[in-house]
Amino acid sequence: MPKTKEKKQKVKKTPRQRGRIALKVLAWIVGIIAVIALALAILNTVSAKAERAFVKNSVEAVAYENQLVPTLADDGYYTFVTDEDFKVLQLTDVHLGAGVLSTKKDTMAMNAVAAMVTEEKPDLVIVTGDVSYPIPYSAGSFNNKNPALVFADLMEKLGVYWCLGFGNHDTEAYSYFSRSQLAKLYNDKEKYPHCLFQSGPENIDGVGNYVINVKNTAGKLTQSLFILDSNSYADNDYFGIQWKYDCVHENQVKWYEETAKALQEENGGEVKSLAFFHIPPAEMKEAFAEYKENGEQDTADVQYLYGKIAEGNQLICSSKYNYGLFDAFQANGTQGAFFGHDHLNNMSLLYKGTKLTYGYSIDYLAYFGIAKFGLQRGCTVIYVHPDGSFDNHGENYYQDKYVSINEKETVDLEHDMADVNGGAVNPLAAE
């Protein structure tokens, strides 16, 4: 009789065997992730070192004729002394990734910063947040310290006095380092003697609430420059995916009021001041809404000065919370506030006698396609006059006077800025 093939019975695996297989698969997955993470860590370290080497080998110090040198006064605040105009350069949203995916765009950003600082020769640079952009899909990195190191190296090599307030992207929920840890970096006066950042009082919210003063040779305060931490996200939006932004908190406002009053008392009268922070105040949204509703014409309370609101749907990403900062400004001699956050907005408005100004941004990284557009990229120049008054205006980076270390990238300078990011509209714009 012919032999018949016997069917092999499929042996069922025991729960223990299935568990071992699952553990092996999990181990393989974990191993692959670990290898990828290690490779990225190595590549990101190499990228950050390359960016710091670029600064060391390519950037030259600004050629000042008579650079003002601040001193740390008895009240604990850095103080400049001059009887002439005091020049402040506001930079915002530099957005350095210092990762394997962002090296080219980081170099563009450093070129822009170096070119504008070198030409403008300011007495002080104030950065209103988002030096770092440690977003993995853009930078390939979670490390927010490396961008801070790169930027601090850049400013120190330029030899300009500078300070900053933190933005929401400087310390994301998934970033490696906290605001306090970055503050220690900026407070290292041996490495960064030109950095005037101060951590500020520990008993109020935020890190980096402080003042820099300008006095004349008679010892009178010409201007106080308040730097405030507008914090990051609100309402449990820890990762910022709902775009629920925070603001300057109530205890910070109280600190500002107490500090302003103390400076007035010390000065024997009114002290004029300016404020710098990252997230725009609610009053900027109010002022623009009133201006827009009036057919983009001035009203009794709103005067247009310059610039555009060019985010999708003319969006202003302020917080829904308001702890009275603007009212405190008006009651305590603060003449103007400067901020960033919305990279395509660079409008300046006079609202109820107080100037509210978006700084021109640097960003090459955060918005898809923004590196190819140029109308929004630049700096804001502020002149504080000996009588305490001030003027400000925006400057576009793509002017011949700003000479880049590398050849400037080709950008579209005739576009409608709302086309940036593929014309995408912020989902909160309709709210």
Side-chain angles (χ1 to χ4, degrees), residues 177-194:
F177 300 92
S178 68
R179 272 161 152 71
S180 296
Q181 288 172 312
L182 292 187
K184 289 181 181 178
L185 182 158
Y186 293 128
N187 279 322
D188 188 341
K189 302 307 176 188
E190 289 189 10
K191 287 186 178 179
Y192 305 116
H194 288 85

Side-chain angles (χ1 to χ4, degrees), residues 65-340:
E65 290 184 8
N66 295 294
Q67 185 179 18
L68 293 178
V69 178
T71 57
L72 194 60
D74 293 338
D75 58 11
Y77 303 131
Y78 284 102
T79 301
F80 290 86
V81 177
T82 181
D83 291 326
E84 307 296 328
D85 283 350
F86 184 83
K87 186 175 184 179
V88 176
L89 190 72
Q90 180 203 6
L91 301 175
T92 196
D93 296 270
V94 181
H95 284 258
L96 297 178
V100 65
L101 300 181
S102 64
T103 301
K104 181 179 179 180
K105 291 180 179 178
D106 289 346
T107 302
M108 293 178 182
M110 289 189 284
N111 282 334
V113 170
M116 291 187 290
V117 171
T118 297
E119 172 62 26
E120 295 296 341
K121 295 178 176 59
D123 297 308
L124 177 66
V125 173
I126 301 179
V127 188
T128 50
D130 282 6
V131 164
S132 302
Y133 193 71
I135 310 299
Y137 62 79
S138 293
S141 173
F142 294 93
N143 190 326
N144 56 330
K145 185 176 181 179
N146 280 340
L149 286 167
V150 170
F151 189 76
D153 285 356
L154 172 63
M155 300 305 285
E156 189 60 35
K157 191 67 186 294
L158 287 168
V160 60
Y161 287 101
W162 68 286
C163 64
L164 81 157
F166 285 119
N168 54 298
H169 289 308
D170 284 305
T171 53
E172 297 284 2
Y174 45 78
S175 297
Y176 291 165
F177 300 92
S178 68
R179 272 161 152 71
S180 296
Q181 288 172 312
L182 292 187
K184 289 181 181 178
L185 182 158
Y186 293 128
N187 279 322
D188 188 341
K189 302 307 176 188
E190 289 189 10
K191 287 186 178 179
Y192 305 116
H194 288 85
C195 182
L196 306 185
F197 174 89
Q198 291 184 306
S199 298
E202 296 181 357
N203 61 338
I204 64 172
D205 293 333
V207 178
N209 300 290
Y210 58 104
V211 183
I212 294 174
N213 288 322
V214 182
K215 290 185 176 182
N216 60 27
T217 54
K220 289 290 185 180
L221 274 169
T222 303
Q223 196 82 210
S224 290
L225 309 173
F226 282 88
I227 292 84
L228 300 166
D229 185 352
S230 55
N231 300 288
S232 294
Y233 306 106
D235 297 338
N236 301 319
D237 185 18
Y238 300 113
F239 299 100
I241 57 177
Q242 300 177 66
W243 296 24
K244 294 182 177 180
Y245 296 110
D246 209 340
C247 61
V248 176
H249 291 175
E250 187 175 5
N251 57 13
Q252 295 171 273
V253 175
K254 185 178 180 182
W255 169 83
Y256 155 79
E257 291 175 319
E258 291 173 348
T259 304
K261 285 179 172 62
L263 290 170
Q264 290 168 12
E265 186 176 337
E266 174 190 328
N267 203 49
E270 181 185 10
V271 174
K272 294 179 180 178
S273 60
L274 302 174
F276 299 82
F277 46 93
H278 183 65
I279 298 172
E283 285 76 13
M284 185 68 190
K285 183 180 285 187
E286 291 175 9
F288 180 66
E290 182 174 322
Y291 174 72
K292 187 177 178 182
E293 287 168 8
N294 198 45
E296 298 195 351
Q297 298 294 320
D298 291 351
T299 70
D301 286 335
V302 183
Q303 180 184 345
Y304 171 83
L305 301 175
Y306 67 80
K308 286 187 175 183
I309 298 296
E311 292 282 341
N313 275 7
Q314 294 186 307
L315 182 69
I316 291 175
C317 290
S318 59
S319 176
K320 72 177 185 180
Y321 297 104
N322 188 343
Y323 299 105
L325 182 63
F326 182 81
D327 293 340
F329 285 164
Q330 294 204 304
N332 291 279
T334 295
Q335 309 168 87
F338 296 84
F339 36 86

Side-chain angles (χ1 to χ4, degrees), residues 389-415:
S389 63
F390 78 102
D391 297 309
N392 64 277
H393 65 276
E395 291 280 2
N396 184 268
Y397 168 51
Y398 299 99
Q399 301 176 70
D400 291 340
K401 69 175 182 176
Y402 296 132
V403 180
S404 175
I405 298 167
N406 297 339
E407 185 177 352
K408 289 182 187 178
E409 62 279 353
T410 300
V411 294
D412 183 355
L413 286 170
E414 297 180 355
H415 68 282

